[in-house]
Amino acid sequence: MDKRIQSVSEAVADIQNGSTVMIGGFGEAGSPIELIHALIDSGARNLTVVNNNTGNGEVGLAALIGNGQVRKMICSYPRSSHSKVFPELYRAGKIELELVPQGTLAERIRAGGAGIPAFYTPTTVGTPLAEGKEVREFNGRKYVMEPWLQADYALIKCETADHAGNLTYNKTARNFSPIMCIAATTTIVQARKIVAPGDIDPECVVTPGLFVDRIVQVAEPLQESKLIAEGVSYP
Amino acid sequence: MSDSTEMKKGWSRNQMAELAAHDIPDGSCVNLGIGIPELVAQYVPEGREFLYHTENGLLGMGPTPESGEEDPELINAGKKPVTALPGASYFHHADSFAMIRGGHIDVCVLGAMQVSGNGDLANWSTGEVDAIPAVGGAMDLVQGVKNIFVITTHCTKTGDAKLVEACTYPLTGVGVVSRIYTDLAVIDVTPEGFRVNKLAPGVSFEEVVEKTGAPVLPAA
């Protein structure tokens, strides 16, 4: 079961207008910047994107948003010192925002992949983010019901993949990626290294290959903060 | 304390952080919010060991790396470069928030816009129409972590009380704060409301009462 694809453009070619796309990463750590740029080149529009943030500068996720391809962002923190693309579009009413607390976002994604349609969490009880949601009491404490989150595609960056799609990550670049891999119908991964089956110790596999559909090698990925410092914008 | 503001009335940011660090028991697992709370890590009392959790997937977080040693894939929740200490572990976001929501983290130190006498916290949004709402992990932290400490100036830059009867900004959590470290006093949130635990040098109980927007009880 060899899941290798030759190029990033081939890997994202079938992403249709209107798709829901989960994109791994916490800020620039773990952001699959080459896959995002390939999605910009593909021109797919009207996308719903799930990511913790909304990108920085005018590269990667911020460039995808700036290019008018995203209809709606589902995220926990759409602000950062270098994010200007999203705030401008949001204030102009040109992009929708679903604000989700970070832990609820993670658990909704995990639940989506695990076949759990909803769950109860104490997070947001008594706050504006709980408005209109079902509240139920368990052992005398209130909890808010939250639905699962699933996607048509996940775009993921990993450190090492084998041909079968078993993955390992690098440090805090792991963040949302393993749970997004399980919550998407089609998971597309860019890997710094691709190795033969057996070269990753089964005890060390973080994402089992079952959850991965396509892998493409990007040996030297661009570094978002470097591009921003150099004033680069994409395309 | 060798702070340059030593002779001034009240406590500096560093002194507030040091006071909070002294109230954290040995062996605690600690999550520090962005801003003044980050300073707490500089004041771990002699003989105590804390294990730092950062919600983006690292337990055993160490100090800022030397210049030139930064790794863009090893960062904290504020997206600043950090290090991993021997014995550290990495994990994905659902596991990280299971640690938080599941009650496995002992202390979280956060900043605040407002705290009410019953421990309600507002620290994520001013509710202004033009503001970009951003919540991050704050709402999960306040619900799941056993002890929520707040470090904040007692009043805003324009002199308004941050310790109030009822928060006017959108809430982060209801009844979640246990202790507040301000430049004027350490204040506990008790079933009877705010109670002074300790006054800063040169600060009177009357001044704290005057600058607080809710009833305050004197130290027990």
mmCIF file of all heavy atoms in Angstrom, chain A residues 179-195:
data_model
loop_
_atom_site.group_PDB
_atom_site.id
_atom_site.type_symbol
_atom_site.label_atom_id
_atom_site.label_comp_id
_atom_site.label_asym_id
_atom_site.label_seq_id
_atom_site.Cartn_x
_atom_site.Cartn_y
_atom_site.Cartn_z
ATOM 1 N N ILE A 179 -4.954 14.450 15.355
ATOM 2 C CA ILE A 179 -6.417 14.349 15.442
ATOM 3 C C ILE A 179 -7.071 14.771 14.130
ATOM 4 O O ILE A 179 -8.112 14.242 13.756
ATOM 5 C CB ILE A 179 -6.989 15.132 16.653
ATOM 6 C CG1 ILE A 179 -6.447 16.555 16.718
ATOM 7 C CG2 ILE A 179 -6.690 14.375 17.945
ATOM 8 C CD1 ILE A 179 -7.050 17.405 17.841
ATOM 9 N N MET A 180 -6.451 15.695 13.400
ATOM 10 C CA MET A 180 -7.004 16.068 12.086
ATOM 11 C C MET A 180 -6.887 14.902 11.104
ATOM 12 O O MET A 180 -7.763 14.696 10.267
ATOM 13 C CB MET A 180 -6.311 17.316 11.554
ATOM 14 C CG MET A 180 -6.724 18.580 12.303
ATOM 15 S SD MET A 180 -5.886 20.047 11.678
ATOM 16 C CE MET A 180 -6.808 21.346 12.530
ATOM 17 N N CYS A 181 -5.786 14.139 11.217
ATOM 18 C CA CYS A 181 -5.612 12.968 10.340
ATOM 19 C C CYS A 181 -6.791 12.005 10.463
ATOM 20 O O CYS A 181 -7.205 11.407 9.486
ATOM 21 C CB CYS A 181 -4.330 12.203 10.686
ATOM 22 S SG CYS A 181 -2.814 13.013 10.144
ATOM 23 N N ILE A 182 -7.335 11.876 11.684
ATOM 24 C CA ILE A 182 -8.410 10.895 11.870
ATOM 25 C C ILE A 182 -9.777 11.471 11.518
ATOM 26 O O ILE A 182 -10.719 10.722 11.316
ATOM 27 C CB ILE A 182 -8.422 10.274 13.295
ATOM 28 C CG1 ILE A 182 -8.935 11.242 14.361
ATOM 29 C CG2 ILE A 182 -7.041 9.763 13.686
ATOM 30 C CD1 ILE A 182 -9.193 10.576 15.704
ATOM 31 N N ALA A 183 -9.904 12.823 11.474
ATOM 32 C CA ALA A 183 -11.226 13.442 11.302
ATOM 33 C C ALA A 183 -11.545 13.789 9.851
ATOM 34 O O ALA A 183 -12.647 14.258 9.562
ATOM 35 C CB ALA A 183 -11.322 14.696 12.161
ATOM 36 N N ALA A 184 -10.600 13.568 8.942
ATOM 37 C CA ALA A 184 -10.822 13.944 7.538
ATOM 38 C C ALA A 184 -11.052 12.708 6.676
ATOM 39 O O ALA A 184 -10.471 11.652 6.924
ATOM 40 C CB ALA A 184 -9.616 14.719 7.019
ATOM 41 N N THR A 185 -11.886 12.857 5.663
ATOM 42 C CA THR A 185 -12.124 11.765 4.713
ATOM 43 C C THR A 185 -10.834 11.440 3.964
ATOM 44 O O THR A 185 -10.481 10.275 3.777
ATOM 45 C CB THR A 185 -13.223 12.170 3.704
ATOM 46 O OG1 THR A 185 -14.356 12.621 4.449
ATOM 47 C CG2 THR A 185 -13.621 11.011 2.819
ATOM 48 N N THR A 186 -10.142 12.499 3.531
ATOM 49 C CA THR A 186 -8.879 12.314 2.805
ATOM 50 C C THR A 186 -7.784 13.111 3.501
ATOM 51 O O THR A 186 -7.883 14.338 3.629
ATOM 52 C CB THR A 186 -9.020 12.801 1.348
ATOM 53 O OG1 THR A 186 -10.093 12.074 0.730
ATOM 54 C CG2 THR A 186 -7.735 12.580 0.567
ATOM 55 N N THR A 187 -6.763 12.429 3.976
ATOM 56 C CA THR A 187 -5.664 13.094 4.686
ATOM 57 C C THR A 187 -4.424 13.144 3.792
ATOM 58 O O THR A 187 -3.948 12.108 3.307
ATOM 59 C CB THR A 187 -5.359 12.368 6.006
ATOM 60 O OG1 THR A 187 -6.488 12.535 6.872
ATOM 61 C CG2 THR A 187 -4.129 12.939 6.682
ATOM 62 N N ILE A 188 -3.945 14.369 3.567
ATOM 63 C CA ILE A 188 -2.809 14.609 2.675
ATOM 64 C C ILE A 188 -1.650 15.126 3.527
ATOM 65 O O ILE A 188 -1.802 16.118 4.251
ATOM 66 C CB ILE A 188 -3.187 15.651 1.601
ATOM 67 C CG1 ILE A 188 -4.456 15.194 0.853
ATOM 68 C CG2 ILE A 188 -2.029 15.877 0.634
ATOM 69 C CD1 ILE A 188 -5.108 16.287 0.010
ATOM 70 N N VAL A 189 -0.505 14.462 3.434
ATOM 71 C CA VAL A 189 0.613 14.765 4.335
ATOM 72 C C VAL A 189 1.861 15.148 3.563
ATOM 73 O O VAL A 189 2.240 14.465 2.602
ATOM 74 C CB VAL A 189 0.926 13.531 5.216
ATOM 75 C CG1 VAL A 189 2.119 13.796 6.126
ATOM 76 C CG2 VAL A 189 -0.286 13.119 6.033
ATOM 77 N N GLN A 190 2.498 16.247 3.971
ATOM 78 C CA GLN A 190 3.841 16.540 3.463
ATOM 79 C C GLN A 190 4.841 16.118 4.533
ATOM 80 O O GLN A 190 4.702 16.453 5.703
ATOM 81 C CB GLN A 190 4.009 18.012 3.076
ATOM 82 C CG GLN A 190 3.925 19.027 4.197
ATOM 83 C CD GLN A 190 4.333 20.420 3.730
ATOM 84 O OE1 GLN A 190 3.585 21.104 3.040
ATOM 85 N NE2 GLN A 190 5.548 20.842 4.103
ATOM 86 N N ALA A 191 5.839 15.356 4.123
ATOM 87 C CA ALA A 191 6.812 14.785 5.058
ATOM 88 C C ALA A 191 8.208 15.263 4.701
ATOM 89 O O ALA A 191 8.574 15.320 3.531
ATOM 90 C CB ALA A 191 6.767 13.258 5.001
ATOM 91 N N ARG A 192 8.980 15.603 5.735
ATOM 92 C CA ARG A 192 10.362 16.002 5.497
ATOM 93 C C ARG A 192 11.163 14.796 4.966
ATOM 94 O O ARG A 192 11.977 14.938 4.079
ATOM 95 C CB ARG A 192 10.977 16.511 6.798
ATOM 96 C CG ARG A 192 11.802 17.760 6.621
ATOM 97 C CD ARG A 192 12.298 18.254 7.954
ATOM 98 N NE ARG A 192 11.226 18.930 8.678
ATOM 99 C CZ ARG A 192 11.400 20.046 9.366
ATOM 100 N NH1 ARG A 192 12.574 20.616 9.420
ATOM 101 N NH2 ARG A 192 10.408 20.592 10.005
ATOM 102 N N LYS A 193 10.880 13.638 5.554
ATOM 103 C CA LYS A 193 11.562 12.408 5.125
ATOM 104 C C LYS A 193 10.519 11.334 4.841
ATOM 105 O O LYS A 193 9.535 11.220 5.567
ATOM 106 C CB LYS A 193 12.482 11.883 6.243
ATOM 107 C CG LYS A 193 13.717 12.721 6.502
ATOM 108 C CD LYS A 193 14.642 12.052 7.516
ATOM 109 C CE LYS A 193 14.120 12.067 8.920
ATOM 110 N NZ LYS A 193 14.523 13.115 9.812
ATOM 111 N N ILE A 194 10.773 10.547 3.786
ATOM 112 C CA ILE A 194 9.938 9.364 3.550
ATOM 113 C C ILE A 194 10.860 8.149 3.594
ATOM 114 O O ILE A 194 11.911 8.126 2.953
ATOM 115 C CB ILE A 194 9.189 9.447 2.198
ATOM 116 C CG1 ILE A 194 8.231 10.654 2.212
ATOM 117 C CG2 ILE A 194 8.412 8.158 1.950
ATOM 118 C CD1 ILE A 194 7.367 10.809 0.967
ATOM 119 N N VAL A 195 10.456 7.162 4.413
ATOM 120 C CA VAL A 195 11.299 5.983 4.603
ATOM 121 C C VAL A 195 10.522 4.716 4.233
ATOM 122 O O VAL A 195 9.302 4.758 4.051
ATOM 123 C CB VAL A 195 11.801 5.890 6.068
ATOM 124 C CG1 VAL A 195 12.655 7.101 6.425
ATOM 125 C CG2 VAL A 195 10.617 5.763 7.045
#
